[in-house]
Structure formats: C-alpha cells, structure tokens
Amino acid sequence: SIQDKNALHLYSINGKYLGSETLKEEVSDLCVTGEYIVMGSLQGFLSIRDLYSLNLSISPLAMRLPIHCISVTKEYSHILVGLEDGKLIIVGVGKPAEV
C-alpha cells in the first residue's frame, strides 16, 4: 500500500524550484521568520528548520498534543504554540541565559 507522504518544497520568489524535504509529520501550521521556518504538526511536534537548506536547526520538541497554531513574537524571542486542548505554550528562543 502507498503511504501518504508530506513534503516541504522551497521555491525562489521567481518560481524557481530550490529543493524539498520529506516530512514524517503532518504539518498543521507554519511560520516563516527571518531565516527559519517554524512548524507545528498534528502529531504534536514543534520543528525549526533553516529556510534555505530546509534542514532541522534543532531536534523537534514534543508537545504531546496536536498543534493548531504557531506564532513568533516581533522580537523573535518567543514562540507561541496553541494546542488542541486550548492551552497556550510559550517557548523561549535562544540560549538559556537569554531566555
């Protein structure tokens, strides 16, 4: 049987294909901020990828519930994650001393 596959495709502003990455999770929301793509999945993982290479910048963070929405603060200091049960999780970005 053929399994459903999810992929992230990258194109230039002129429509030139730059690359793609196969994803294990089903993306529910994503946010492009600066040089990163912040993604949430229905499987409950928060992932941060490099915008140009599509490689993971850090290991995905498990939220244990499906993620419904993601937002990044204006200063790029925190990621706001809305979960299926209505909880809002705030994730600090940067080194522990900065958070």
Side-chain angles (χ1 to χ4, degrees):
S1 66
I2 299 174
Q3 295 180 359
D4 291 335
K5 293 190 177 184
N6 299 298
L8 184 63
H9 300 282
L10 180 64
Y11 291 86
S12 72
I13 195 163
N14 297 326
K16 181 181 176 186
Y17 176 76
L18 299 175
S20 65
E21 186 70 30
T22 302
L23 304 173
K24 296 177 183 174
E25 301 95 26
E26 187 176 347
V27 176
S28 57
D29 194 18
L30 66 85
C31 185
V32 177
T33 59
E35 297 180 0
Y36 297 97
I37 301 170
V38 181
M39 299 187 320
S41 71
L42 292 178
Q43 288 72 26
F45 290 100
L46 177 68
S47 305
I48 301 174
R49 293 182 174 269
D50 181 78
L51 179 60
Y52 304 107
S53 69
L54 300 180
N55 293 329
L56 283 170
S57 296
I58 62 166
S59 298
L61 301 172
M63 297 289 151
R64 300 184 184 181
L65 289 171
I67 295 173
H68 279 234
C69 61
I70 291 178
S71 184
V72 179
T73 60
K74 187 168 53 172
E75 302 83 20
Y76 306 122
S77 60
H78 295 84
I79 300 170
L80 309 174
V81 182
L83 301 180
E84 181 180 55
D85 65 353
K87 290 180 182 171
L88 176 67
I89 305 296
I90 301 173
V91 180
V93 179
K95 298 175 184 169
E98 296 172 356
V99 180

Short mmCIF file of all heavy atoms in Angstrom, two decimals, residues 28-76:
data_model
loop_
_atom_site.label_atom_id
_atom_site.label_comp_id
_atom_site.label_asym_id
_atom_site.label_seq_id
_atom_site.Cartn_x
_atom_site.Cartn_y
_atom_site.Cartn_z
N SER A 28 0.45 21.21 10.56
CA SER A 28 -0.82 21.87 10.84
C SER A 28 -0.70 23.39 10.72
O SER A 28 -1.67 24.07 10.42
CB SER A 28 -1.33 21.49 12.22
OG SER A 28 -0.37 21.81 13.20
N ASP A 29 0.50 23.94 10.97
CA ASP A 29 0.72 25.38 10.84
C ASP A 29 2.22 25.62 10.70
O ASP A 29 3.03 24.83 11.19
CB ASP A 29 0.18 26.13 12.06
CG ASP A 29 0.08 27.64 11.84
OD1 ASP A 29 0.09 28.07 10.66
OD2 ASP A 29 -0.03 28.38 12.81
N LEU A 30 2.56 26.69 10.00
CA LEU A 30 3.96 27.08 9.91
C LEU A 30 4.07 28.58 9.84
O LEU A 30 3.13 29.28 9.50
CB LEU A 30 4.67 26.40 8.73
CG LEU A 30 4.29 26.72 7.30
CD1 LEU A 30 5.00 27.96 6.77
CD2 LEU A 30 4.67 25.54 6.44
N CYS A 31 5.24 29.06 10.21
CA CYS A 31 5.52 30.49 10.26
C CYS A 31 6.95 30.71 9.77
O CYS A 31 7.87 30.05 10.25
CB CYS A 31 5.34 30.97 11.69
SG CYS A 31 5.51 32.73 11.91
N VAL A 32 7.13 31.60 8.80
CA VAL A 32 8.48 31.92 8.32
C VAL A 32 8.93 33.19 9.03
O VAL A 32 8.26 34.22 8.99
CB VAL A 32 8.48 32.13 6.79
CG1 VAL A 32 9.86 32.54 6.31
CG2 VAL A 32 8.02 30.88 6.08
N THR A 33 10.05 33.09 9.75
CA THR A 33 10.58 34.23 10.48
C THR A 33 12.07 34.35 10.21
O THR A 33 12.84 33.44 10.53
CB THR A 33 10.38 34.07 11.99
OG1 THR A 33 11.02 32.88 12.42
CG2 THR A 33 8.91 34.00 12.35
N GLY A 34 12.47 35.45 9.61
CA GLY A 34 13.89 35.64 9.31
C GLY A 34 14.42 34.54 8.42
O GLY A 34 13.94 34.34 7.31
N GLU A 35 15.36 33.78 8.93
CA GLU A 35 15.99 32.71 8.16
C GLU A 35 15.52 31.32 8.60
O GLU A 35 16.18 30.32 8.33
CB GLU A 35 17.51 32.81 8.29
CG GLU A 35 18.06 34.09 7.72
CD GLU A 35 19.56 34.18 7.85
OE1 GLU A 35 20.19 33.26 8.37
OE2 GLU A 35 20.10 35.21 7.42
N TYR A 36 14.38 31.24 9.28
CA TYR A 36 13.89 29.97 9.80
C TYR A 36 12.43 29.74 9.46
O TYR A 36 11.65 30.68 9.28
CB TYR A 36 14.06 29.92 11.33
CG TYR A 36 15.50 29.99 11.75
CD1 TYR A 36 16.07 31.20 12.14
CD2 TYR A 36 16.31 28.86 11.73
CE1 TYR A 36 17.40 31.27 12.52
CE2 TYR A 36 17.64 28.93 12.10
CZ TYR A 36 18.18 30.14 12.49
OH TYR A 36 19.49 30.20 12.84
N ILE A 37 12.07 28.46 9.41
CA ILE A 37 10.67 28.04 9.27
C ILE A 37 10.31 27.34 10.58
O ILE A 37 10.97 26.38 10.98
CB ILE A 37 10.48 27.05 8.11
CG1 ILE A 37 10.93 27.67 6.79
CG2 ILE A 37 9.03 26.60 8.02
CD1 ILE A 37 11.01 26.69 5.66
N VAL A 38 9.29 27.82 11.26
CA VAL A 38 8.82 27.21 12.50
C VAL A 38 7.54 26.47 12.15
O VAL A 38 6.60 27.06 11.61
CB VAL A 38 8.56 28.28 13.58
CG1 VAL A 38 8.10 27.63 14.87
CG2 VAL A 38 9.80 29.13 13.81
N MET A 39 7.52 25.15 12.42
CA MET A 39 6.39 24.32 12.01
C MET A 39 5.82 23.54 13.19
O MET A 39 6.57 23.09 14.05
CB MET A 39 6.82 23.31 10.94
CG MET A 39 7.35 23.91 9.69
SD MET A 39 7.67 22.73 8.37
CE MET A 39 8.38 21.34 9.22
N GLY A 40 4.51 23.38 13.18
CA GLY A 40 3.83 22.54 14.15
C GLY A 40 3.10 21.43 13.43
O GLY A 40 2.63 21.63 12.30
N SER A 41 2.99 20.28 14.06
CA SER A 41 2.36 19.13 13.40
C SER A 41 1.18 18.60 14.20
O SER A 41 1.05 18.87 15.40
CB SER A 41 3.38 18.01 13.19
OG SER A 41 3.71 17.41 14.43
N LEU A 42 0.34 17.84 13.51
CA LEU A 42 -0.79 17.19 14.17
C LEU A 42 -0.32 16.08 15.10
O LEU A 42 -1.07 15.63 15.96
CB LEU A 42 -1.76 16.64 13.13
CG LEU A 42 -2.50 17.69 12.31
CD1 LEU A 42 -3.41 17.03 11.29
CD2 LEU A 42 -3.29 18.63 13.21
N GLN A 43 0.92 15.63 14.94
CA GLN A 43 1.49 14.62 15.82
C GLN A 43 2.09 15.25 17.08
O GLN A 43 2.59 14.55 17.95
CB GLN A 43 2.56 13.81 15.08
CG GLN A 43 2.00 12.87 14.04
CD GLN A 43 1.48 13.57 12.79
OE1 GLN A 43 1.90 14.66 12.45
NE2 GLN A 43 0.54 12.94 12.11
N GLY A 44 2.04 16.59 17.20
CA GLY A 44 2.46 17.28 18.41
C GLY A 44 3.93 17.67 18.47
O GLY A 44 4.47 17.85 19.55
N PHE A 45 4.58 17.84 17.33
CA PHE A 45 5.98 18.23 17.32
C PHE A 45 6.16 19.65 16.80
O PHE A 45 5.55 20.05 15.82
CB PHE A 45 6.81 17.28 16.45
CG PHE A 45 6.96 15.91 17.05
CD1 PHE A 45 6.16 14.87 16.63
CD2 PHE A 45 7.88 15.68 18.05
CE1 PHE A 45 6.28 13.61 17.19
CE2 PHE A 45 8.01 14.43 18.63
CZ PHE A 45 7.21 13.39 18.19
N LEU A 46 7.01 20.41 17.49
CA LEU A 46 7.40 21.75 17.07
C LEU A 46 8.79 21.65 16.46
O LEU A 46 9.73 21.22 17.13
CB LEU A 46 7.41 22.70 18.28
CG LEU A 46 7.86 24.12 18.02
CD1 LEU A 46 6.85 24.85 17.14
CD2 LEU A 46 8.05 24.87 19.32
N SER A 47 8.92 22.02 15.20
CA SER A 47 10.19 21.91 14.48
C SER A 47 10.64 23.27 13.99
O SER A 47 9.82 24.10 13.59
CB SER A 47 10.06 20.98 13.27
OG SER A 47 9.56 19.74 13.64
N ILE A 48 11.95 23.49 14.01
CA ILE A 48 12.54 24.71 13.47
C ILE A 48 13.53 24.30 12.40
O ILE A 48 14.45 23.53 12.66
CB ILE A 48 13.23 25.54 14.57
CG1 ILE A 48 12.21 25.90 15.66
CG2 ILE A 48 13.87 26.79 13.98
CD1 ILE A 48 12.79 26.58 16.87
N ARG A 49 13.32 24.79 11.18
CA ARG A 49 14.17 24.44 10.04
C ARG A 49 14.82 25.69 9.45
O ARG A 49 14.25 26.78 9.50
CB ARG A 49 13.35 23.75 8.95
CG ARG A 49 12.83 22.39 9.37
CD ARG A 49 12.07 21.73 8.24
NE ARG A 49 11.70 20.38 8.62
CZ ARG A 49 12.44 19.32 8.37
NH1 ARG A 49 13.58 19.44 7.73
NH2 ARG A 49 12.03 18.12 8.77
N ASP A 50 16.00 25.50 8.87
CA ASP A 50 16.68 26.56 8.15
C ASP A 50 15.90 26.84 6.87
O ASP A 50 15.52 25.91 6.16
CB ASP A 50 18.12 26.13 7.83
CG ASP A 50 18.87 27.21 7.10
OD1 ASP A 50 19.32 28.16 7.76
OD2 ASP A 50 18.99 27.11 5.86
N LEU A 51 15.65 28.10 6.56
CA LEU A 51 14.84 28.47 5.42
C LEU A 51 15.48 28.07 4.09
O LEU A 51 14.79 27.72 3.14
CB LEU A 51 14.56 29.98 5.43
CG LEU A 51 13.74 30.54 4.28
CD1 LEU A 51 12.36 29.90 4.22
CD2 LEU A 51 13.61 32.04 4.41
N TYR A 52 16.79 28.10 4.01
CA TYR A 52 17.46 27.88 2.73
C TYR A 52 17.84 26.43 2.48
O TYR A 52 17.76 25.95 1.35
CB TYR A 52 18.69 28.78 2.64
CG TYR A 52 18.31 30.23 2.83
CD1 TYR A 52 18.63 30.90 4.00
CD2 TYR A 52 17.58 30.91 1.87
CE1 TYR A 52 18.26 32.22 4.19
CE2 TYR A 52 17.19 32.22 2.05
CZ TYR A 52 17.54 32.88 3.21
OH TYR A 52 17.15 34.17 3.40
N SER A 53 18.20 25.68 3.52
CA SER A 53 18.58 24.28 3.33
C SER A 53 17.44 23.32 3.71
O SER A 53 17.49 22.15 3.35
CB SER A 53 19.81 23.95 4.18
OG SER A 53 19.48 23.98 5.56
N LEU A 54 16.45 23.79 4.43
CA LEU A 54 15.32 23.01 4.95
C LEU A 54 15.75 21.96 5.98
O LEU A 54 14.96 21.12 6.38
CB LEU A 54 14.52 22.34 3.82
CG LEU A 54 13.90 23.28 2.79
CD1 LEU A 54 13.14 22.48 1.74
CD2 LEU A 54 12.98 24.28 3.45
N ASN A 55 16.99 22.02 6.45
CA ASN A 55 17.47 21.10 7.48
C ASN A 55 16.95 21.53 8.84
O ASN A 55 16.75 22.72 9.10
CB ASN A 55 19.00 21.07 7.51
CG ASN A 55 19.58 20.47 6.26
OD1 ASN A 55 18.99 19.60 5.65
ND2 ASN A 55 20.76 20.94 5.88
N LEU A 56 16.77 20.56 9.74
CA LEU A 56 16.36 20.87 11.11
C LEU A 56 17.46 21.65 11.81
O LEU A 56 18.64 21.27 11.76
CB LEU A 56 16.08 19.59 11.88
CG LEU A 56 14.77 18.89 11.59
CD1 LEU A 56 14.73 17.52 12.24
CD2 LEU A 56 13.59 19.73 12.05
N SER A 57 17.10 22.74 12.48
CA SER A 57 18.06 23.53 13.25
C SER A 57 18.26 22.93 14.64
O SER A 57 19.33 23.02 15.20
CB SER A 57 17.59 24.97 13.37
OG SER A 57 17.56 25.56 12.09
N ILE A 58 17.20 22.37 15.19
CA ILE A 58 17.25 21.67 16.48
C ILE A 58 16.37 20.44 16.39
O ILE A 58 15.56 20.31 15.46
CB ILE A 58 16.76 22.57 17.65
CG1 ILE A 58 15.29 22.96 17.45
CG2 ILE A 58 17.63 23.78 17.84
CD1 ILE A 58 14.64 23.54 18.66
N SER A 59 16.50 19.53 17.33
CA SER A 59 15.62 18.37 17.37
C SER A 59 14.19 18.84 17.63
O SER A 59 13.98 19.77 18.42
CB SER A 59 16.04 17.42 18.48
OG SER A 59 17.33 16.94 18.25
N PRO A 60 13.20 18.22 17.00
CA PRO A 60 11.81 18.62 17.24
C PRO A 60 11.44 18.50 18.72
O PRO A 60 11.85 17.58 19.40
CB PRO A 60 11.00 17.63 16.39
CG PRO A 60 11.95 17.17 15.34
CD PRO A 60 13.31 17.16 15.99
N LEU A 61 10.66 19.47 19.18
CA LEU A 61 10.18 19.47 20.56
C LEU A 61 8.81 18.82 20.62
O LEU A 61 7.90 19.20 19.87
CB LEU A 61 10.09 20.91 21.08
CG LEU A 61 11.38 21.72 21.07
CD1 LEU A 61 11.08 23.17 21.42
CD2 LEU A 61 12.36 21.14 22.05
N ALA A 62 8.63 17.86 21.51
CA ALA A 62 7.35 17.16 21.65
C ALA A 62 6.41 17.97 22.55
O ALA A 62 6.76 18.29 23.68
CB ALA A 62 7.57 15.78 22.23
N MET A 63 5.24 18.28 22.04
CA MET A 63 4.22 19.00 22.81
C MET A 63 3.15 18.05 23.33
O MET A 63 2.28 18.46 24.08
CB MET A 63 3.57 20.09 21.94
CG MET A 63 4.52 21.15 21.49
SD MET A 63 4.99 22.20 22.86
CE MET A 63 6.61 22.68 22.35
N ARG A 64 3.15 16.80 22.88
CA ARG A 64 2.27 15.71 23.33
C ARG A 64 0.82 15.83 22.88
O ARG A 64 0.04 14.92 23.11
CB ARG A 64 2.34 15.54 24.84
CG ARG A 64 3.73 15.20 25.29
CD ARG A 64 3.78 14.95 26.74
NE ARG A 64 5.18 14.73 27.13
CZ ARG A 64 5.55 14.46 28.33
NH1 ARG A 64 4.67 14.36 29.28
NH2 ARG A 64 6.82 14.29 28.59
N LEU A 65 0.45 16.93 22.28
CA LEU A 65 -0.90 17.12 21.73
C LEU A 65 -0.77 17.76 20.36
O LEU A 65 0.23 18.44 20.09
CB LEU A 65 -1.74 18.02 22.63
CG LEU A 65 -2.20 17.45 23.96
CD1 LEU A 65 -2.82 18.54 24.81
CD2 LEU A 65 -3.19 16.32 23.75
N PRO A 66 -1.76 17.58 19.49
CA PRO A 66 -1.69 18.24 18.18
C PRO A 66 -1.56 19.75 18.31
O PRO A 66 -2.21 20.37 19.16
CB PRO A 66 -3.01 17.85 17.53
CG PRO A 66 -3.39 16.56 18.17
CD PRO A 66 -2.91 16.69 19.60
N ILE A 67 -0.73 20.33 17.47
CA ILE A 67 -0.53 21.78 17.46
C ILE A 67 -1.49 22.37 16.43
O ILE A 67 -1.55 21.91 15.29
CB ILE A 67 0.94 22.10 17.10
CG1 ILE A 67 1.86 21.58 18.19
CG2 ILE A 67 1.12 23.61 16.88
CD1 ILE A 67 3.34 21.69 17.87
N HIS A 68 -2.23 23.39 16.85
CA HIS A 68 -3.19 24.02 15.94
C HIS A 68 -2.69 25.32 15.36
O HIS A 68 -3.06 25.67 14.24
CB HIS A 68 -4.53 24.24 16.66
CG HIS A 68 -5.36 23.01 16.69
ND1 HIS A 68 -6.65 22.96 16.23
CD2 HIS A 68 -5.09 21.74 17.11
CE1 HIS A 68 -7.13 21.74 16.36
NE2 HIS A 68 -6.20 20.99 16.91
N CYS A 69 -1.86 26.07 16.09
CA CYS A 69 -1.35 27.33 15.54
C CYS A 69 -0.01 27.69 16.17
O CYS A 69 0.31 27.27 17.27
CB CYS A 69 -2.36 28.45 15.72
SG CYS A 69 -2.75 28.82 17.44
N ILE A 70 0.75 28.46 15.40
CA ILE A 70 2.08 28.90 15.83
C ILE A 70 2.23 30.38 15.49
O ILE A 70 1.78 30.83 14.43
CB ILE A 70 3.18 28.11 15.11
CG1 ILE A 70 3.19 26.68 15.59
CG2 ILE A 70 4.54 28.73 15.31
CD1 ILE A 70 4.21 25.82 14.90
N SER A 71 2.87 31.10 16.37
CA SER A 71 3.21 32.50 16.11
C SER A 71 4.56 32.80 16.77
O SER A 71 4.90 32.18 17.79
CB SER A 71 2.13 33.42 16.68
OG SER A 71 2.42 34.76 16.36
N VAL A 72 5.30 33.72 16.20
CA VAL A 72 6.59 34.13 16.75
C VAL A 72 6.49 35.60 17.11
O VAL A 72 5.94 36.40 16.34
CB VAL A 72 7.73 33.89 15.73
CG1 VAL A 72 9.06 34.34 16.29
CG2 VAL A 72 7.79 32.42 15.34
N THR A 73 6.99 35.97 18.29
CA THR A 73 6.92 37.36 18.72
C THR A 73 7.75 38.25 17.80
O THR A 73 8.65 37.80 17.11
CB THR A 73 7.40 37.53 20.17
OG1 THR A 73 8.75 37.08 20.26
CG2 THR A 73 6.52 36.76 21.13
N LYS A 74 7.43 39.54 17.85
CA LYS A 74 8.08 40.51 16.97
C LYS A 74 9.59 40.55 17.16
O LYS A 74 10.34 40.74 16.21
CB LYS A 74 7.46 41.89 17.22
CG LYS A 74 7.93 42.96 16.26
CD LYS A 74 7.11 44.24 16.31
CE LYS A 74 6.98 44.82 17.69
NZ LYS A 74 6.36 46.15 17.70
N GLU A 75 10.05 40.34 18.37
CA GLU A 75 11.49 40.38 18.67
C GLU A 75 12.16 39.04 18.45
O GLU A 75 13.34 38.88 18.73
CB GLU A 75 11.71 40.81 20.13
CG GLU A 75 11.12 42.15 20.49
CD GLU A 75 9.63 42.05 20.85
OE1 GLU A 75 9.14 40.96 21.19
OE2 GLU A 75 8.97 43.10 20.75
N TYR A 76 11.41 38.02 17.97
CA TYR A 76 11.90 36.65 17.76
C TYR A 76 12.41 36.03 19.05
O TYR A 76 13.27 35.17 19.03
CB TYR A 76 13.01 36.60 16.70
CG TYR A 76 12.64 37.21 15.38
CD1 TYR A 76 13.39 38.25 14.85
CD2 TYR A 76 11.56 36.74 14.65
CE1 TYR A 76 13.06 38.82 13.62
CE2 TYR A 76 11.23 37.30 13.43
CZ TYR A 76 11.98 38.34 12.92
OH TYR A 76 11.66 38.89 11.71
#
